[in-house]
Amino acid sequence: MQQPVTSEHNGQQIRYRRSTALWKGSLCFLFLLLCVILLWIIVDGQAERLETIYYSIAAVLGMWLIGPLFFMFLSRLTRNPAVLLSWDDESIRTGKRKIPWSRIRKVELASPARSKWLLSASPMFVLYLKDGTRSHVQTDHLLSKKELNQALALLQRTLQEQQQDR
């Protein structure tokens, strides 16, 4: 089993398990397949008038809510390496962004309930910068609550150490 927080030779990183992205993505795929089957039943004329309304609403809502999750998990499954963020003594790296520790004021975990389009919003690490802006690091539902809290504690502790060293 892969640990969410690992050390590497020149820093640390928060990793996710590809197996988590695979099983969650597979579950989303099955649900999307069910939505397509509902639409096929309508197109094929096997549904009665009232069923047509229910099936079409269920299929459209299912695709609307689950479709983005499927593509998010698929993108995380194919990403190499399986790292949410990494850091060393100088900065945090989130994808292509690199933020020096000296610019970060605090780190928190935010868990928005829903986006404005009713889509599922994943928990994220929020880096509050000294210039008043924020940088968000999406976790894409790939870490458990325990893993999120462990990673947050480690990030906060590292930030504190970096602030004391300067």
Side-chain angles (χ1 to χ4, degrees), residues 66-80:
I66 302 300
L69 289 173
F70 170 72
F71 288 107
M72 177 182 66
F73 292 130
L74 183 64
S75 108
R76 286 297 188 168
L77 184 63
T78 58
R79 191 171 293 169
N80 199 14

Side-chain angles (χ1 to χ4, degrees), residues 5-149:
V5 179
T6 60
S7 291
E8 54 182 13
H9 63 281
N10 57 354
Q12 291 189 328
Q13 51 188 217
I14 297 175
R15 302 180 63 83
Y16 59 89
R17 293 180 200 83
R18 286 191 194 283
S19 61
T20 302
L22 177 64
W23 76 262
K24 287 185 175 186
S26 298
L27 194 61
C28 289
F29 178 75
L30 290 174
F31 195 82
L32 288 173
L33 192 58
L34 176 66
C35 293
V36 170
I37 290 170
L38 287 175
L39 289 176
W40 180 253
I41 290 171
I42 294 168
V43 170
D44 198 32
Q46 296 177 15
E48 295 178 14
R49 187 175 180 94
L50 192 57
E51 288 174 331
T52 300
I53 294 170
Y54 291 139
Y55 289 177
S56 59
I57 290 172
V60 169
L61 284 177
M63 288 181 184
W64 176 269
L65 297 173
I66 302 300
L69 289 173
F70 170 72
F71 288 107
M72 177 182 66
F73 292 130
L74 183 64
S75 108
R76 286 297 188 168
L77 184 63
T78 58
R79 191 171 293 169
N80 199 14
V83 175
L84 288 175
L85 63 96
S86 60
W87 65 92
D88 56 22
D89 290 337
E90 300 299 317
S91 61
I92 290 182
R93 285 177 301 286
T94 62
K96 295 180 181 180
R97 294 179 295 169
K98 192 173 185 179
I99 303 171
W101 286 109
S102 59
R103 289 187 52 212
I104 301 172
R105 184 170 45 89
K106 70 178 177 175
V107 180
E108 288 184 352
L109 184 64
S111 297
R114 291 264 176 202
S115 71
K116 66 181 177 180
W117 297 102
L118 296 176
L119 300 175
S120 176
S122 69
M124 66 183 107
F125 296 108
V126 182
L127 307 175
Y128 291 90
L129 306 180
K130 291 181 179 175
D131 64 3
T133 60
R134 294 179 289 194
S135 180
H136 299 107
V137 180
Q138 298 294 331
T139 62
D140 294 339
H141 302 287
L142 294 169
L143 300 176
S144 68
K145 285 188 181 201
K146 182 180 178 184
E147 292 168 339
L148 281 169
N149 289 329

Side-chain angles (χ1 to χ4, degrees), residues 101 156-166:
W101 286 109
Q156 289 173 336
R157 188 169 51 248
T158 305
L159 176 61
Q160 225 173 10
E161 291 168 2
Q162 292 297 325
Q163 289 174 341
Q164 289 174 354
D165 289 345
R166 298 194 190 279

